[in-house]
């Protein structure tokens, strides 16, 4: 029989995986299992009602537009209120919106305006959830083990996404999109219940501020003071927009016309998920010294899926391309989270994360809304090749920023203080660090 002393000597989980980290990971797994299938279900729900690529793009844009409009407010609210309460309230809104969407699809032919409205409600919930969730996760681990913790979190989350995408595509094909949306609503309810048990007593009380606008202004000052931060966010405003248009609009259309329907597209998305799991597993061991240099180089493969859809290639090569791009972007994702964790003071994490999210997705509604008209004007193949080329161009441009090339890993997070001090530490690392290898510290010892 195992004694209490044995359990203390041989804990079932790593010492850095505390209660909050475990709850956050479990909730993310549940959410991703439902949401990946729901993305496929929403697109095919539109197509089954007679919609075209333009309608699919409008529904995707309807979810993203309120995300853009309310993200900054969500970040300020998350730095004022207990973050776990913001997360639970957002999950409740997502649960209601997805359950209503499911009922509409199951009860008959939903109208386009109804799907637009419910998608917009889901995006509103996400706008308040994302900054709070990122701030909560970063405050749940210490600097020494942050990179490994983020990689393990993302590996669990992406593993759930892998299963959710493959299962969701199969479920849409067998039982229809309505039931898949219903499963997603249940997943939000379960995840919200788990997040209600998060403990925020370790987070210092926020000092009284001058109001919401003052909070937003303070977050903006933190954001623009760091060239590596705002240039990468500007890069991803283009990358996320064109990749989102390719995946949300053109992917389902190519699957319908050339691959055989939702099942193969679900497999392709599942391969991307498998790649992200592999990339996260790599990052539990690999700690690149120059965080953003390694991460940015791994954004280039994101151009490949759009090119593969433009050809279009068969299902097996498409899955291979999706796997490689998923692994590469996960290297960026872990590196990016580690950089934010070590450079941004804890009391400003949610606001800076909100500006990060806002900049990264600001162009998504426009890109998804224009995807259908662009297909009609230039053809689907030309539109997809353009998506691929834009990813390459903006990623190459970011490599000209010195801070992106030189930002180095530290083991301790910054203390709360002035942005200028943080910038000096970030952009002027010690000479011995600059002379070190840009590839990695070694494996002995993170995109979202």
């Amino acid at each position: 029989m195992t004694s209490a002393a044995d359990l203390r000597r041989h804990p079932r989980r790593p010492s850095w995986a505390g209660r909050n980290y475990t709850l956050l990971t479990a909730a993310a797994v549940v959410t991703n299992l439902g949401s990946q299938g729901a993305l496929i279900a929403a697109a095919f729900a539109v197509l089954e009602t007679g919609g075209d690529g333009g309608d699919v793009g409008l529904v995707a844009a309807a979810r993203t537009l309120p995300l853009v409009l309310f993200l900054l407010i969500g970040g300020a609210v998350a730095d004022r209120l207990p973050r776990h309460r913001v997360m639970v309230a957002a999950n409740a809104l997502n649960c209601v919106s997805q359950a209503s969407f499911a009922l509409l699809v199951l009860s008959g032919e939903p109208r386009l305006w109804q799907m637009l409205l419910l998608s917009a409600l889901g995006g509103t919930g996400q706008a308040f959830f994302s900054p709070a969730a990122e701030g909560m996760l970063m405050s749940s681990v210490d600097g020494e083990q942050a990179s490994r913790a983020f990689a393990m979190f993302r590996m669990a989350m992406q593993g759930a996404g892998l299963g959710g995408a493959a299962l969701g595509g199969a479920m849409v094909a067998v039982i229809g999109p309505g039931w898949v949306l219903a499963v997603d609503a249940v997943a939000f309810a379960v995840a919200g219940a788990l997040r209600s048990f998060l403990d925020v007593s370790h987070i210092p009380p926020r000092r009284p501020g001058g109001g919401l606008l003052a909070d937003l202004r303070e977050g903006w000052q933190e954001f623009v003071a760091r060239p590596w931060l705002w240039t990468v966010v500007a890069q991803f405003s283009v990358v996320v927009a064109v990749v989102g248009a390719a995946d949300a609009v053109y992917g389902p259309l190519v699957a319908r016309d050339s691959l055989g329907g939702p099942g193969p597209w679900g497999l392709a998305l599942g391969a991307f998920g498998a790649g992200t799991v592999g990339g996260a597993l790599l990052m539990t061991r690999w700690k690149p010294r120059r965080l953003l240099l390694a991460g940015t180089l791994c954004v280039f493969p994101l151009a490949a899926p759009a090119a593969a859809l433009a050809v279009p290639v068969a299902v097996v090569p498409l899955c291979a391309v999706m796997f490689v791009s998923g692994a590469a972007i996960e290297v960026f994702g872990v590196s990016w989270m580690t950089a934010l964790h070590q450079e941004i003071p804890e009391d400003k994490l949610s606001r800076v994360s909100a500006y990060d999210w806002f900049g990264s997705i600001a162009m998504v509604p426009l890109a998804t809304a224009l995807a259908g008209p662009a297909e009609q004007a230039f053809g689907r193949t030309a539109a997809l090749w353009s998506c691929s080329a834009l990813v390459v161009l903006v990623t190459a441009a970011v490599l000209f920023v010195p801070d992106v090339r030189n930002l180095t890993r530290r083991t301790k997070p910054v203390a709360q203080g002035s942005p200028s001090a943080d910038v000096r530490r970030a952009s002027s690392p010690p000479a011995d660090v600059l002379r070190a290898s840009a590839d990695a510290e070694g494996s002995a010892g993170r995109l979202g």
Side-chain angles (χ1 to χ4, degrees), residues 113-389:
W113 71 266
Q114 294 171 323
M115 292 187 285
L116 292 172
L117 176 61
L118 292 171
S119 293
L121 285 176
T124 302
Q126 191 69 24
F128 285 87
F129 173 83
S130 296
E134 193 154 327
M136 194 75 202
L137 176 63
M138 291 185 186
S139 69
S140 70
V141 297
D142 59 34
E144 188 93 19
Q145 297 291 341
S147 180
R148 179 169 295 178
F150 296 147
M152 293 295 293
F153 174 85
R154 293 177 66 96
M155 184 168 62
M157 184 178 67
Q158 304 292 11
L162 164 64
L167 183 61
M171 289 176 65
V172 169
V174 174
I175 62 176
W179 289 109
V180 179
L181 292 167
V183 169
D184 190 35
V186 173
F188 275 117
V190 173
L194 289 171
R195 288 165 178 143
S196 68
F197 291 103
L198 291 168
D199 180 14
V200 295
S201 60
H202 67 288
I203 300 177
R206 269 61 178 178
R207 58 179 174 79
L212 189 64
L213 290 178
D215 286 350
L216 291 173
R217 184 166 55 250
E218 190 177 37
W220 174 252
Q221 290 169 349
E222 290 284 337
F223 178 77
V224 298
R226 298 168 172 82
W228 62 267
L229 179 56
W230 63 262
T231 53
V232 171
V233 171
Q235 169 204 6
F236 268 77
S237 69
V238 176
V239 171
V240 174
V242 298
V243 171
D247 286 354
V249 180
Y250 299 135
L253 294 173
V254 172
R256 182 192 64 184
D257 296 342
S258 304
L259 301 179
W265 181 235
L267 286 176
L269 293 177
F272 182 88
T276 61
V277 173
L281 181 61
L282 169 65
M283 294 303 285
T284 63
R285 306 291 295 174
W286 183 41
K287 296 181 179 180
R289 187 178 295 275
R290 295 189 185 179
L291 291 167
L292 296 185
L293 177 61
T296 300
L297 290 174
C298 288
V299 178
F300 284 106
L302 273 188
L309 290 171
V311 173
V313 300
V315 176
V316 172
L318 177 61
C319 288
V321 167
M322 296 287 276
F323 179 88
V324 172
S325 62
I329 198 57
E330 197 63 17
V331 175
F332 171 84
V334 175
S335 299
W336 182 247
M337 291 185 71
T338 305
L340 290 177
H341 179 268
Q342 76 173 26
E343 300 297 332
I344 308 300
E346 194 280 334
D347 64 322
K348 300 179 180 69
L349 275 173
S350 289
R351 278 169 287 173
V352 172
S353 294
Y355 280 105
D356 174 16
W357 274 80
F358 176 83
S360 297
I361 67 170
M363 294 177 61
V364 172
L366 180 63
T368 51
L370 293 179
E375 179 188 18
Q376 295 174 0
F378 307 109
R380 188 184 303 164
T381 299
L384 282 164
W385 280 117
S386 297
C387 291
S388 183

